[in-house]
Amino acid sequence: MKSPRRSAADDSNTRTLLLDAAKDLMVEEGYAAVSSRRVATKAGTNAALVYYYFDSMDGLFLELFRRGAEQSLARQARVLSSAQPLWGLWDAAHDQSSNALTMEFIALANHRKSIRAEISSYSKKFRRMQLEVMSSVLETYGIDSQEWPPATIILMIAGISRFLLMEKAFDVDIGHADMVALVESHIRELEGERRTIHLALADLQD
Amino acid sequence: MKSPRRSAADDSNTRTLLLDAAKDLMVEEGYAAVSSRRVATKAGTNAALVYYYFDSMDGLFLELFRRGAEQSLARQARVLSSAQPLWGLWDAAHDQSSNALTMEFIALANHRKSIRAEISSYSKKFRRMQLEVMSSVLETYGIDSQEWPPATIILMIAGISRFLLMEKAFDVDIGHADMVALVESHIRELEGERRTIHLALADLQD
DNA sequence: GTCTATAGCTGGATAGAC
DNA sequence: GTCTATCCAGCTATAGAC
């Protein structure tokens, strides 16, 4: 029986510093580099505090994932309700740093059940939200939902852009320009020129 | 100066057992579970032998990646020279277990430079091979390379199928059936009904 | 809330017997 | 080729001082 610390100072400054440090470590050196000692050192504080705030390393990873998931979900909602939801979807999927984090969590999930369950339920929520909005959007664009089910559009955009990001992380970009041009020309046909701010840039402030 | 053991009994039985054990561990529990002790135990042998055959854990990972890469490259060549290269590409990309391994290596690459470099050069080789073959294949199919550059077809097939695999690993399969149907209907238009053996099944023997 | 100290474990890597 | 023994580092987690 662990003591119930979940609600203890969710907005504590130290707590946030620890989460930020864990995130940076995970992106820069992979999840295996995220130990209580290294996180604490990077946050300029003490390793024991990780256990004070999160009970265990598992708890830390879980909270880190949840924090990111909530941000992504909120951004996604914003983007989908904009005047150019397809551009929004495409640009949002292009965020490099959040993608690197995602890849680490996917690998982590391979041996941490709690993470696995969390990613699963979050992904479903995410997808349901995309589907609901895009279904009506694509209908107003006059897309035949028999020939092009909304789910296929979403999966193509998500799949292609994640794949390009993964490859780019290894300096592989053969044919990427062609691929981007092709996708964007199709989006342009439906929503015209991109008018929203490139989210990949807006996210540099995170 | 390490002693040059690279060529020492590349076909040794124990060596192969160690590589197999490392592969299984990596798929089942993630790369962090791959330690010299655990690999040796799973292989039914001794931890010191890892260092005898591979010099270091880094060396083990590198050899494991290379072995898989060579197999994939060979299979890819076979598939691309078949009568239905598009079906081959699509089916080969659907191999679940090799995909799980790939994801682990990608995460590993985040903090092992040697792995990173190896994945990078292998990916480029892989892509170049696909491009070369598919360029002429698509031309014979009468595909306009201006409108649909060969690289885009390849990237779409690879990206979509990896994305579906990743999601399925988390029990997320919303819209997957639609996506598969759409891709396969386009392939069918070009190459007719699938006549080759489903590679995902053929690979169960590995 | 934050720290030190420490128990207990697992890991990479090497030396040397056989 | 294969094994045991061993060193040293780093990890999770807890107890307890402040």
Side-chain angles (χ1 to χ4, degrees):
Chain A
M1 294 297 168
K2 301 262 176 165
S3 57
R5 279 166 181 155
R6 281 89 224 273
S7 61
D10 265 23
D11 52 352
S12 144
N13 185 36
T14 302
R15 202 186 114 105
T16 304
L17 284 175
L18 287 170
L19 286 173
D20 290 344
K23 177 182 166 180
D24 289 347
L25 265 176
M26 205 161 168
V27 169
E28 289 160 17
E29 302 187 49
Y31 70 76
V34 183
S35 66
S36 55
R37 285 161 157 79
R38 294 202 59 184
V39 167
T41 301
K42 193 161 186 115
T45 178
N46 189 281
L49 288 178
V50 168
Y51 301 93
Y52 175 77
Y53 282 108
F54 305 103
D55 280 343
S56 66
M57 288 306 293
D58 230 272
L60 170 67
F61 281 120
L62 215 51
E63 277 308 298
L64 183 57
F65 180 82
R66 288 204 179 111
R67 191 179 68 159
E70 276 163 28
Q71 285 174 5
S72 294
L73 220 50
R75 183 171 66 194
Q76 167 101 329
R78 215 170 59 227
V79 142
L80 285 175
S81 65
S82 76
Q84 299 181 302
L86 278 176
W87 277 119
L89 215 58
W90 174 244
D91 288 340
H94 260 83
D95 180 20
Q96 178 69 263
S97 80
S98 89
N99 192 258
L101 244 196
T102 303
M103 296 299 298
E104 286 298 321
F105 273 116
I106 289 175
L108 232 198
N110 209 344
H111 59 282
R112 291 208 188 234
K113 290 178 195 167
S114 58
I115 291 292
R116 177 181 197 74
E118 196 69 17
I119 294 183
S120 181
S121 81
Y122 162 74
S123 301
K124 286 170 186 163
K125 198 194 274 187
F126 202 74
R127 178 60 35 79
R128 266 185 250 115
M129 182 175 167
Q130 292 175 320
L131 253 182
E132 196 183 336
V133 177
M134 289 309 299
S135 294
S136 62
V137 166
L138 291 175
E139 202 182 318
T140 70
Y141 288 169
I143 304 278
D144 176 9
S145 71
Q146 291 295 323
E147 196 182 359
W148 297 93
T152 63
I153 312 272
I154 292 167
L155 285 169
M156 284 177 74
I157 288 181
I160 290 169
S161 73
R162 175 161 304 172
F163 194 68
L164 295 186
L165 281 178
M166 281 174 51
E167 289 205 331
K168 204 161 73 178
F170 288 93
D171 301 312
V172 178
D173 62 357
I174 306 171
H176 284 205
D178 283 341
M179 188 74 255
V180 168
L182 183 65
V183 171
E184 299 198 346
S185 81
H186 279 101
I187 297 182
R188 209 171 283 117
E189 279 176 25
L190 295 169
E191 296 190 338
E193 211 55 62
R194 168 164 41 211
R195 285 191 304 274
T196 49
I197 297 164
H198 223 129
L199 275 173
L201 291 173
D203 283 337
L204 286 177
Q205 298 158 359
D206 279 14
Chain B
M1 295 295 166
K2 301 263 178 166
S3 56
R5 280 168 182 156
R6 280 91 224 271
S7 60
D10 265 24
D11 52 351
S12 142
N13 185 35
T14 302
R15 202 187 113 105
T16 304
L17 285 175
L18 288 170
L19 286 173
D20 290 344
K23 177 182 166 180
D24 289 347
L25 265 176
M26 206 161 168
V27 170
E28 288 160 17
E29 302 187 49
Y31 70 78
V34 182
S35 66
S36 56
R37 284 161 161 82
R38 292 202 60 187
V39 167
T41 301
K42 195 164 186 113
T45 178
N46 189 280
L49 288 178
V50 168
Y51 301 94
Y52 175 75
Y53 283 108
F54 306 103
D55 280 344
S56 65
M57 287 307 293
D58 230 89
L60 170 66
F61 281 119
L62 215 50
E63 277 308 299
L64 183 57
F65 180 82
R66 288 203 180 113
R67 192 179 67 158
E70 276 163 29
Q71 286 174 4
S72 295
L73 220 50
R75 183 170 66 194
Q76 168 100 330
R78 216 170 57 226
V79 141
L80 284 175
S81 64
S82 76
Q84 298 181 303
L86 278 176
W87 277 119
L89 214 61
W90 174 244
D91 288 340
H94 261 83
D95 179 21
Q96 178 67 264
S97 80
S98 89
N99 192 257
L101 243 196
T102 303
M103 296 299 298
E104 287 298 322
F105 273 117
I106 289 175
L108 231 198
N110 209 345
H111 60 281
R112 290 208 188 233
K113 290 178 196 167
S114 57
I115 291 292
R116 177 180 197 75
E118 196 68 17
I119 294 183
S120 181
S121 80
Y122 162 73
S123 302
K124 285 170 187 163
K125 198 195 274 188
F126 201 75
R127 178 59 35 79
R128 264 184 252 116
M129 183 175 166
Q130 292 175 320
L131 252 180
E132 197 183 333
V133 177
M134 288 310 298
S135 294
S136 62
V137 167
L138 292 174
E139 203 182 318
T140 70
Y141 289 169
I143 305 277
D144 176 8
S145 71
Q146 291 295 321
E147 197 182 359
W148 298 93
T152 63
I153 312 272
I154 293 167
L155 285 168
M156 283 178 74
I157 288 181
I160 290 170
S161 73
R162 176 162 303 173
F163 195 67
L164 295 186
L165 281 178
M166 282 174 51
E167 290 205 330
K168 203 161 75 177
F170 289 93
D171 301 312
V172 178
D173 61 357
I174 306 171
H176 284 207
D178 283 342
M179 188 72 253
V180 169
L182 183 65
V183 171
E184 300 198 346
S185 81
H186 279 101
I187 297 182
R188 208 172 284 117
E189 279 176 26
L190 294 169
E191 296 189 338
E193 210 55 61
R194 167 165 39 212
R195 285 190 305 272
T196 49
I197 297 163
H198 222 130
L199 275 172
L201 291 174
D203 283 337
L204 286 177
Q205 299 157 357
D206 279 15

